[in-house]
Amino acid sequence: MNRIINQRFLPDGSGRVCIHLFAHSADGSATTPAGVNGFKFEGARGYIACNPTQSKVTPLVRGNEHLLCTWSDDARAVSCPKCQETAEFKGQMEQLNSLVGSEAAAFAA
Ligand SMILES: [Zn+2]
């Protein structure tokens, strides 16, 4: 049986994958997959920043079609334009920029 992978791309025609921001939150609607990678780890609780009620972040399988939800909890990897407009994304980028700025200032001193 052939599998169909359904991956969303950015609407700008660039061919880049749409990567959402996964915001960690104990009250989040979704849990990332648990797994074993040398040690057992639990899934993380949180939500997709542009769609906080979305309950699944793992591929949704319908017959032979796999609908992918690509995400990262690192704002620097996020390409989704809707996620980039959220307070979660902007707050994380401000924190990252302040860290980079303080490191750059320390290096220049
Ligand atoms: Zn998004």
Side-chain angles (χ1 to χ4, degrees):
M1 177 170 77
N2 291 331
R3 288 188 190 152
I4 299 168
I5 306 297
N6 189 334
Q7 171 69 64
R8 288 193 69 185
F9 292 96
L10 294 177
D12 62 6
S14 65
R16 293 186 307 146
V17 171
C18 184
I19 303 171
H20 300 283
L21 176 63
F22 181 83
H24 290 267
S25 169
D27 300 327
S29 60
T31 303
T32 63
V36 177
N37 184 14
F39 58 93
K40 185 178 177 186
F41 58 93
E42 301 298 321
R45 195 91 187 141
Y47 58 94
I48 297 296
C50 73
N51 188 11
T53 60
Q54 180 177 330
S55 61
K56 284 188 64 107
V57 295
T58 54
L60 181 63
V61 180
R62 290 184 187 150
N64 64 345
E65 186 176 16
H66 296 239
L67 304 163
L68 302 184
C69 175
T70 306
W71 52 267
S72 174
D73 64 354
D74 185 332
R76 294 171 292 184
V78 172
S79 62
C80 170
K82 290 179 183 174
C83 282
Q84 290 175 343
E85 291 299 316
T86 64
E88 294 87 340
F89 176 86
K90 291 176 181 175
Q92 196 179 113
M93 289 304 290
E94 282 179 21
Q95 286 183 323
L96 289 166
N97 286 335
S98 69
L99 289 171
V100 171
S102 64
E103 284 183 17
F107 185 74

